């Protein structure tokens, strides 16, 4: 059985419901979505260099994020 890890993607969004884009995939991966979500506020507070009206976190299984970013799911 393949182990699945949860990755944290930092998303940048425009004004008025504009589409969001993945800006960064943070390391390390998390074992659960709950761990990822719990770490999100502290990580967001440190990301002061991103110039978007709205920044948020998307915690998802690594293979799903890899497909969205067109990366190797094992990378």
């Amino acid at each position: 059985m393949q182990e699945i890890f949860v990755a944290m993607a930092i998303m940048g969004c425009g004004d008025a419901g504009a589409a969001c884009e993945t800006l960064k995939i943070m390391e390390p991966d998390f074992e659960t979505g709950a761990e990822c979500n719990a770490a999100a506020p502290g990580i967001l507070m440190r990301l002061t260099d991103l110039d978007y009206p709205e920044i948020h976190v998307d915690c998802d299984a690594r293979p799903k994020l890899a497909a969205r970013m067109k990366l190797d799911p094992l990378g």
Side-chain angles (χ1 to χ4, degrees):
M1 183 175 174
Q2 179 187 8
E3 266 189 286
I4 301 292
F5 292 98
V6 175
M8 178 185 290
I10 305 301
M11 309 295 293
C13 306
D15 287 326
C20 298
E21 65 178 293
T22 303
L23 304 175
K24 297 181 180 190
I25 303 292
M26 303 301 289
E27 296 292 336
D29 291 334
F30 299 88
E31 290 186 21
T32 67
E35 288 177 2
C36 180
N37 286 318
I43 289 172
L44 286 172
M45 289 187 67
R46 293 193 316 250
L47 295 174
T48 59
D49 63 331
L50 303 175
D51 188 26
Y52 282 83
E54 184 180 326
I55 304 292
H56 71 92
V57 166
D58 182 15
C59 294
D60 210 344
R62 169 75 63 187
K64 289 181 185 178
L65 283 173
R68 188 167 71 209
M69 301 259 324
K70 297 182 176 127
L71 298 174
D72 178 353
L74 300 176

